[in-house]
Amino acid sequence: MTKTAPAAGKKRLNLGLQGGGSHGAFTWGVLDRLLEVDELELVGISGTSAGAMNAAALAYGLAVGGKAGARACLAEFWGRIAAAARLSPLQPSPLDRWLGLGNMDFSPGWIASDNLARLASPYELNPLNFHPLKDVLEAVVDFQALRRSCAAEQVLLFLCATNVGTGRIKIFEGEEIGLDAVLASACLPWLFQAVEIDGQHYWDGGYSGNPPIYPLIYGTDCEDVLIVQINPINIESVPRTASEIVDRVNELSFNSTLMREMRAIHFVSKLLDEHRVERGRYKRLNIHTVEAETELARLGSSSKVNADKDFLGWLFDLGRERCARFLDAHYEKIGVESSTDVGAKFL
């Protein structure tokens, strides 16, 4: 476990950042608001898929420019995403937006691409293995500098991917951090070829940890974890259409690992509270969450590839607002107790 000395008078917080495509702009908003709090010290960052991209931009910005640098780095990353999306046929057309089809479920470009992906693999459709986010990440993050910061433990960064061959979770950290690690964490197998690193092949980390919490337990001495949740746990009605069913299956799949970890954390916390195990041997975590389940549950999974500037801006504003609400209601609980009822929310 890495030991870090807390700065005087500061609250300390680990971050767990979920994946969810362009819905990661909600996380951007949450982080932007958190970084405005001078008294808050960010210790460890665990990220998956879009959460890994946010985590890499956040960690690099913190390493080279402090909190102001992190806010600027995140803004540049999402700004470049929106700029690149203007040239993509998968984005909603002006007519789609005028009709209110921001989630693109009926966008011609989305329908054509979705149907094609069901018939052919990325090895057939994308033989050159083009990844639209690779250039964006390289333009925003100096991965050599980030790797040095991670290796020196200036930044405690944990990126999650899934080993295709073994089915096991892979956590990239320290000197393992790099562009390929981020791309591996965000490798959806029906869109991109598996990412090869040191002879192993990886798919999206959401299949094994979204986000993984255990690296924050064993890799830092901070006892508070804020999970930025962008995959809804609860929905209002039973899915009935084909697209609604696929959306819900994806949400259940990408939330299942987090639910299992929360069950284990809840169990250990109960043992500690009942003095059935020694506090010195186990860490009692304080769990906090920021989410917008009602709003994000209304969006189809196709909206996760919608990088329209206005849509990303709406998610960013929503993230800032929900984070501000969390800080107003629960800031004093950081370092003291959980602000989320883990049993009620996850069990």
Side-chain angles (χ1 to χ4, degrees), residues 17-27 48-52 54 78 185-186 188 204 206 210 228-231 254 296 300-306 311 315:
L17 310 181
Q18 274 200 327
S22 62
H23 292 187
F26 172 83
T27 302
T48 295
S49 200
N54 274 320
W78 286 101
S185 184
L188 292 171
D204 195 287
N210 191 26
V228 183
Q229 179 194 334
I230 56 179
N231 291 291
F254 280 179
L296 297 181
S301 62
S302 58
S303 68
K304 293 181 179 179
V305 297
N306 181 359
F311 182 61
L315 288 167

Side-chain angles (χ1 to χ4, degrees), residues 100-119:
L101 306 180
N103 67 359
M104 301 189 303
D105 286 331
F106 304 101
S107 173
W110 164 256
I111 292 172
S113 175
D114 185 52
N115 288 336
L116 192 58
R118 295 172 189 272
L119 299 174

